[in-house]
């Protein structure tokens, strides 16, 4: 592999997600495999500006593949949004003789990386780390699969109590402006209704569906609501609305919150993280820069960072139909 790169820096930025540690491990070990140095940068771009660097070798990343979060810590950095901050970051990289950066984070982190690359010509590659799966250019982001499993398990537990008390539960799940988590966990956990931002079918439809299931003898139900749902009501208001219109239901609300971001990564996320780390480092060594690593049809691919940032992901419409059929 021909390259002028002899040291790569790795950082995690923005919100954490399960699989980030496994990705750091992969970056470090791929560097070791290719006999180049690797330096970990703590607290994302803020640590880059403050010179919070630590040399990492293959042994520094033992026993982390199974751990959630990121041992390098993550941060949001307002300083990196300024030219002075980025100049400082660049000087630190020169001082530590770092030749390229692997940025594990979301679209904000990639935007920062792109601007940095534009200003200083510094090679960067992104690895998409977010549970929301809302980044264009990859079928799956790091942490998404783990979050799906966490959410399904939580809804299963809620279902136990829902069916014991004949209750209707509204469960709010994460995903920001995307409904991937809600749609997939809704189908996976057998929800009666799934409300997602991409498909606002109106509240009437939800009432009709709940009425139908009540009439068909169902005594408990789950409605999964994406946090970015566009019905115009938050999950508590939705519950009130249904309570007013269908007084036969005993309704409860559960907002799953940050438990969805934690926990040991699933096998899928560990494998994905390992593959993404290898692809990121080897792409840099091949002279590529300003790309994001992704996966599609079980193959690793690169997407230009600007496309990854600007592009929109689409929900799987077939799943909506499957959900409808399953709630017959
Ligand atoms: P998440 O998906 O969890 O929100 P993210 O990477 O999108 O992750 P952001 O907070 O949007 O999270 O961005 C992380 C960091 O990237 C910011 O704190 C900032 O330091 C940097 N960043 C984001 N946008 C820009 C920008 N336009 N210019 C420079 N830096 C930026």
């Amino acid at each position: 592999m021909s390259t002028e790169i002899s040291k790569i820096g790795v950082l995690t930025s923005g919100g954490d997600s399960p699989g980030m540690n496994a990705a750091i491990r992969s970056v470090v070990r791929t560097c070791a495999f290719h006999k180049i140095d690797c330096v970990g940068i703590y607290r994302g771009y803020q640590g880059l500006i403050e010179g919070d660097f630590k040399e990492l070798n293959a042994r520094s990343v033992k026993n982390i593949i199974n751990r959630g979060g990121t041992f390098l810590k993550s941060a949001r950095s307002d300083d990196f949004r300024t030219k002075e901050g980025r100049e400082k970051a660049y000087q630190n990289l020169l001082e530590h003789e770092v030749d390229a950066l692997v940025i594990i984070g979301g679209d904000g982190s990639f935007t920062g990386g792109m601007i940095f690359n534009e200003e200083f010509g510094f090679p960067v590659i992104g690895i998409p780390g977010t549970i929301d799966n809302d980044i264009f250019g990859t079928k799956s982001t790091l942490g998404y699969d783990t979050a799906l499993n966490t959410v399904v398990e939580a809804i299963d537990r809620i279902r136990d109590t829902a069916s014991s008390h004949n209750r209707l539960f509204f469960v709010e799940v994460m995903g920001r402006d995307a409904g991937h988590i809600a749609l997939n966990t809704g189908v996976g956990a057998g929800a009666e209704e799934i409300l997602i931002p991409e498909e606002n079918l109106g509240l009437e439809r939800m009432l009709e569906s709940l009425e139908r299931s009540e009439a068909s003898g169902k005594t408990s139900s789950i409605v999964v609501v994406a946090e970015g749902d566009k019905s115009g009501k938050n999950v508590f208001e939705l519950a009130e609305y249904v309570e007013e219109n269908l007084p036969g239901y005993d309704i409860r609300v559960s907002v799953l919150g940050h438990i969805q971001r934690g926990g040991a990564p699933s096998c899928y996320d560990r494998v994905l993280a390992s593959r993404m780390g290898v692809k990121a480092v080897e792409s840099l060594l091949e002279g590529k820069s300003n790309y994001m690593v992704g996966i599609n049809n079980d193959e690793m691919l690169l997407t230009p960072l600007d496309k990854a940032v600007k592009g929109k992901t689409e929900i799987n419409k077939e799943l909506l139909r499957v959900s409808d059929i399953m709630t017959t």
Side-chain angles (χ1 to χ4, degrees), residues 6-311:
S6 56
K7 192 190 276 190
I8 287 178
V10 57
L11 59 80
T12 47
S13 169
D16 64 303
S17 69
M20 280 185 163
N21 273 325
I24 298 165
R25 169 183 180 269
S26 172
V27 168
V28 172
R29 295 224 167 136
T30 309
C31 287
F33 179 83
H34 288 289
K35 306 208 174 356
I36 61 168
D37 292 329
C38 189
V39 62
I41 297 148
Y42 283 80
R43 296 177 295 117
Y45 291 131
Q46 198 55 31
L48 191 57
I49 292 169
E50 292 173 14
D52 201 355
F53 291 36
K54 188 178 168 201
E55 302 283 332
L56 299 174
N57 62 40
R59 298 282 73 73
S60 327
V61 287
K62 66 181 180 199
N63 295 336
I64 64 165
I65 191 169
N66 53 333
R67 281 171 41 200
T70 158
F71 88 95
L72 286 178
K73 315 277 183 198
S74 191
R76 307 204 193 257
S77 167
D78 287 336
D79 293 342
F80 198 74
R81 293 178 185 272
T82 67
K83 177 87 197 202
E84 300 73 45
R86 294 192 294 273
E87 178 66 46
K88 188 93 212 309
Y90 181 60
Q91 289 310 324
N92 284 335
L93 287 167
L94 290 184
E95 209 171 284
H96 287 82
E97 298 179 324
V98 179
D99 304 308
L101 262 186
V102 176
I103 299 157
I104 307 171
D107 53 357
S109 304
F110 296 161
T111 303
M114 257 185 332
I115 292 171
F116 192 65
N117 172 270
E118 225 167 76
E119 283 174 347
F120 303 102
F122 199 86
V124 297
I125 290 268
I127 291 180
T130 164
I131 64 164
D132 303 328
N133 206 32
D134 58 350
I135 297 185
F136 180 81
T138 186
K139 193 85 196 99
S140 198
T141 55
L142 270 190
Y144 172 57
D145 182 71
T146 305
L148 292 183
N149 290 315
T150 305
V151 171
V152 162
E153 195 190 321
I155 298 177
D156 286 348
R157 287 166 194 247
I158 288 170
R159 180 182 290 285
D160 288 346
T161 180
S163 58
S164 302
H165 294 276
N166 294 347
R167 277 177 183 154
L168 167 63
F169 261 89
F170 279 81
V171 183
E172 186 193 272
V173 303
M174 283 182 164
R176 279 194 303 203
D177 294 327
H180 302 291
I181 293 180
L183 182 54
N184 281 273
T185 59
V187 172
E192 193 58 40
E193 274 291 302
I194 305 167
L195 304 187
I196 55 173
E198 293 88 344
E199 196 85 6
N200 185 12
L201 299 175
L203 297 176
E204 281 305 307
R205 199 197 95 111
M206 180 181 66
L207 283 184
E208 279 165 25
S209 158
L210 291 172
E211 249 170 353
R212 248 185 289 122
S213 64
E214 200 181 20
S216 76
K218 271 196 188 172
T219 51
S220 67
S221 290
I222 306 280
V223 176
V224 174
V225 184
E227 65 180 343
D229 160 56
K230 300 272 191 296
S231 65
K233 294 188 188 296
N234 68 34
V235 68
F236 294 99
E237 291 165 348
L238 277 172
E240 269 171 35
Y241 175 79
V242 174
E243 212 155 35
E244 280 161 17
N245 288 280
L246 301 173
Y249 272 115
D250 180 17
I251 302 180
R252 294 289 185 277
V253 173
S254 181
V255 178
L256 294 187
H258 281 80
I259 62 157
Q260 296 164 89
R261 289 237 301 246
S266 64
C267 179
Y268 180 86
D269 275 330
R270 297 179 199 195
V271 173
L272 183 63
S274 304
R275 295 176 76 181
M276 284 181 163
V278 170
K279 182 74 176 174
V281 170
E282 293 191 339
S283 298
L284 285 170
L285 295 182
E286 284 163 8
K288 300 197 173 91
S289 169
N290 234 0
Y291 286 99
M292 181 195 81
V293 173
I295 188 163
N296 198 23
N297 291 329
D298 203 33
E299 277 182 22
M300 305 312 292
L301 69 150
L302 296 175
T303 300
L305 276 180
D306 63 331
K307 277 199 179 161
V309 166
K310 285 192 209 124

